């Protein structure tokens, strides 16, 4: 016998998907064209395509497998990730091309536009990690479309009002996605979250697939941070710096995991969440990183902050602010992103010879963060309020509340 919610899901998911996809096809048919220029960011197509594939692997495979750590939400989590990424990327291409359409009447599509769209989509996938397992597919699609819109609006504001470089505005996706997601989970707080949800259980099999997603992200993160770099020199610095920061953060996360474990064992969940902190922090600050040791220090600091946040901040956010962060996005992306922003500020001031220039940069840099947080929090609040409406048929509390009669979850260590 089919579950009670199946007819409702069929009637609410398929029509919006078909309607949106039809609308996208019409817009692409009328207002887009493929850019025939073989040069992309000063590089030939065959040279840029591997980097595009690296970013594509991160968005689809990396985030997709990362969502499989929940036993009862692994298969659907990876499938929903693909659905959300496919829809959000199409929408991001349209929004990013509005300026081109305004001046030339057409939205030009090339590998660079696809990469920028997927990076905007990554911000939405980060936010969805806070409500993973607590929303249905219709809500996830709505979240992705609204957040991509808000993120591109924030990017436009930073570039227009504060004259921020496009690369720097895009790499704030970690900070934007974190605060947007925290507002989502705060608005959609469910009673009983102080106790572990029964659906939050994980085992070795789901943890193995989730670790595979972490490995995909770890391997391809240098391409993610360097793909939009303008010059070969900056691209080389970004690749080397990102790799070194990731290596340092992985080692640091393992060390802190052993120190914080009562039995002195490795905690794979902690390594998964905190081993990527270096890549996040360096991505936000890579435009001012010049030396390898700078990237390594940033990676070390990000791993320590992320590990401490994972151990203590998640439960305190739940008890103090009623924010149930399923994937610990605050410690994985938020804290490293803020630390990368702070490192960017410090390194830029250190390299400035003129005090007036340094003060001016500090003011603009602080305004950049304030604008990003303001836009993400306000749009996250509106989106959370919208998806909380009963019309979307959100999953009922009885599907999540912990059953004290069932066997409690065990933590598995290596």
């Amino acid at each position: 016998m089919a579950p009670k919610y199946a007819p409702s899901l069929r009637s609410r998911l398929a029509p919006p998907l078909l309607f949106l996809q039809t609308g996208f096809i019409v817009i692409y048919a009328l207002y887009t064209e493929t850019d025939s220029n073989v040069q992309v960011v000063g590089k030939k197509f065959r040279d840029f395509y591997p980097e595009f594939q690296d970013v594509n692997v991160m968005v689809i495979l990396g985030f997709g497998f990362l969502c499989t750590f929940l036993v009862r939400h692994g298969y659907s989590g990876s499938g929903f990730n693909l659905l959300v990424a496919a829809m959000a990327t199409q929408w991001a291409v349209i929004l990013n091309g509005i300026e081109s359409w305004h001046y030339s009447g057409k939205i030009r599509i090339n590998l660079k536009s696809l990469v920028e769209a997927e990076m905007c989509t990554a911000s939405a996938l980060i936010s969805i990690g806070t409500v993973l397992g607590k929303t249905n597919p219709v809500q996830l699609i709505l979240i992705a479309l609204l957040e991509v819109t808000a993120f591109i609006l924030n990017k436009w504001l930073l570039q227009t009002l504060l004259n921020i470089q496009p690369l720097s505005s895009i790499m704030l996706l970690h900070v934007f996605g974190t605060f947007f997601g925290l507002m989502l989970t705060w608005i959609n707080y469910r009673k009983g979250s102080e106790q572990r949800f029964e659906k939050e259980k994980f085992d070795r099999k789901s943890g193995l697939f989730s670790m595979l997603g972490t490995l995909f992200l770890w391997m391809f993160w240098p391409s993610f941070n360097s793909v939009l770099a303008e010059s070969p020199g900056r691209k080389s610095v970004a690749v080397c710096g990102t790799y070194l920061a990731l290596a340092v953060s992985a080692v640091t996360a393992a060390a802190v995991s052993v120190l914080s474990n009562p039995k002195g064992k490795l905690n794979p969940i902690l390594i998964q969440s905190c081993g990527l902190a270096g890549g996040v922090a360096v991505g936000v600050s890579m435009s001012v990183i010049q030396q390898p040791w700078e990237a390594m220090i940033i990676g070390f600091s990000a791993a320590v902050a992320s590990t401490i946040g994972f151990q203590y901040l998640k439960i305190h956010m739940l008890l103090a602010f009623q924010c149930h962060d399923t994937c610990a996005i605050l410690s994985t992306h938020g804290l490293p992103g803020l630390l990368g922003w702070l490192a960017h500020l410090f390194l830029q001031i250190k390299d400035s010879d003129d005090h007036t220039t340094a003060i001016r940069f500090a003011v603009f840099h602080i305004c950049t963060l304030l604008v990003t947080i303001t836009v993400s929090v306000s749009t996250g609040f509106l989106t959370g309020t919208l998806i909380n409406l009963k019309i979307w048929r959100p999953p009922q509390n009885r599907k999540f509340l912990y059953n004290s009669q069932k066997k409690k979850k065990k933590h598995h260590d290596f």
Side-chain angles (χ1 to χ4, degrees):
M1 181 178 180
K4 295 181 179 179
Y5 59 83
S8 175
L9 184 61
R10 282 196 291 268
S11 63
R12 281 173 166 76
L13 178 60
L17 288 180
L18 294 176
F19 175 78
L20 288 171
Q21 190 58 74
T22 302
F24 289 162
I25 292 175
V26 172
I27 293 175
Y28 276 71
L30 297 177
Y31 300 109
T32 67
E33 64 179 9
T34 303
D35 192 350
S36 58
N37 187 4
V38 296
Q39 295 289 330
V40 182
V41 199
K43 300 175 65 176
K44 293 183 178 180
F45 176 88
R46 67 173 179 267
D47 297 326
F48 193 80
Y49 183 74
E51 296 177 326
F52 160 74
Q53 279 289 65
D54 290 349
V55 176
N56 202 29
V57 167
M58 284 189 63
V59 172
I60 304 301
L61 291 181
F63 283 103
F65 279 112
L66 202 62
C67 296
T68 61
F69 73 98
L70 298 176
V71 172
R72 296 183 57 191
H73 199 71
Y75 188 74
S76 56
S78 59
F80 293 164
N81 179 84
L82 176 60
L83 174 62
V84 168
M87 294 295 293
T89 301
Q90 295 179 72
W91 180 233
V93 169
I94 295 173
L95 295 181
N96 282 328
I98 288 179
E99 184 176 0
S100 173
W101 169 80
H102 177 74
Y103 289 107
S104 63
K106 289 290 184 178
I107 298 174
R108 300 189 179 277
I109 300 178
N110 53 30
L111 288 184
K112 182 182 178 182
S113 66
L114 294 179
V115 166
E116 291 181 347
E118 287 200 318
M119 296 181 81
C120 296
T121 299
S123 177
L125 298 179
I126 291 171
S127 297
I128 287 174
T130 62
V131 293
L132 184 65
K134 298 178 289 186
T135 48
N136 60 38
V138 181
Q139 292 174 305
L140 293 179
I141 293 295
L142 187 62
I143 291 171
L145 296 180
L146 292 177
E147 179 169 1
V148 166
T149 304
F151 179 74
I152 294 176
L153 172 63
N154 179 74
K155 182 163 66 76
W156 179 82
L157 290 174
L158 295 180
Q159 296 177 16
T160 304
L161 300 180
L162 300 177
N163 199 27
I164 303 300
Q165 295 297 319
L167 179 59
S168 298
S169 62
I170 290 178
M171 295 312 296
L172 285 171
L173 63 94
H174 305 283
V175 177
F176 188 95
T178 298
F179 283 95
F180 191 98
L182 290 177
M183 290 305 299
L184 288 179
T185 189
W186 179 63
I187 294 295
N188 292 274
Y189 174 79
R190 296 175 181 272
K191 288 186 177 181
S193 297
E194 294 81 3
Q195 297 179 343
R196 286 193 176 273
F197 288 141
E198 193 271 334
K199 277 193 173 182
E200 282 188 284
K201 294 194 301 184
F202 65 91
D203 58 14
R204 292 184 183 275
K205 183 178 179 180
S206 62
L208 179 62
F209 280 102
S210 183
M211 179 61 79
L212 182 61
T214 301
L215 295 179
F216 275 121
L217 293 174
W218 201 95
M219 292 171 57
F220 294 108
W221 210 294
S223 296
F224 188 83
N225 282 350
S226 65
V227 65
L228 296 180
E230 297 292 340
S231 65
R234 288 310 308 169
K235 186 179 292 290
S236 176
V237 171
V239 170
C240 296
T242 302
Y243 180 85
L244 291 173
L246 285 169
V248 171
S249 62
V251 173
T252 305
V256 177
S257 170
V258 173
L259 292 174
S260 61
N261 192 297
K263 297 181 179 180
K265 294 183 179 181
L266 286 173
N267 185 347
I269 302 300
L270 193 63
I271 297 175
Q272 273 186 259
S273 299
C274 308
L276 302 172
V280 174
V282 168
V284 178
S285 58
M286 68 178 179
S287 59
V288 294
I289 294 176
Q290 303 294 337
Q291 302 297 330
W293 62 267
E294 294 174 346
M296 296 174 76
I297 291 177
I298 292 174
F300 177 85
S301 304
V304 172
S306 179
T307 304
I308 295 175
F310 185 87
Q311 290 280 56
Y312 305 107
L313 195 56
K314 180 178 179 179
I315 185 62
H316 283 85
M317 288 291 293
L318 176 60
L319 298 177
F321 301 103
Q322 295 184 339
C323 289
H324 180 264
D325 185 0
T326 304
C327 296
I329 295 302
L330 179 59
S331 59
T332 305
H333 293 272
L335 294 181
L338 292 174
L339 190 142
W341 173 88
L342 187 62
H344 190 170
L345 175 63
F346 175 77
L347 292 175
Q348 186 69 40
I349 293 177
K350 180 179 72 69
D351 296 335
S352 298
D353 298 327
D354 185 9
H355 292 293
T356 303
T357 303
I359 294 174
R360 182 179 181 183
F361 172 80
V363 171
F364 273 81
H365 198 59
I366 293 172
C367 290
T368 298
L369 181 65
L370 293 178
V371 170
T372 300
I373 293 178
T374 300
V375 175
S376 61
V377 168
S378 58
T379 54
F381 178 85
L382 294 176
T383 303
T385 303
L386 181 61
I387 67 169
N388 204 29
L389 299 177
K390 299 300 182 182
I391 189 176
W392 309 115
R393 294 286 182 90
Q396 301 175 9
N397 285 337
R398 62 183 176 84
K399 295 184 179 293
F400 302 99
L401 293 182
Y402 182 81
N403 185 355
S404 59
Q405 300 300 323
K406 293 185 178 181
K407 186 178 181 180
K408 294 185 178 181
K409 175 177 71 69
K410 295 182 179 180
H411 293 276
H412 296 290
D413 300 319
F414 288 144

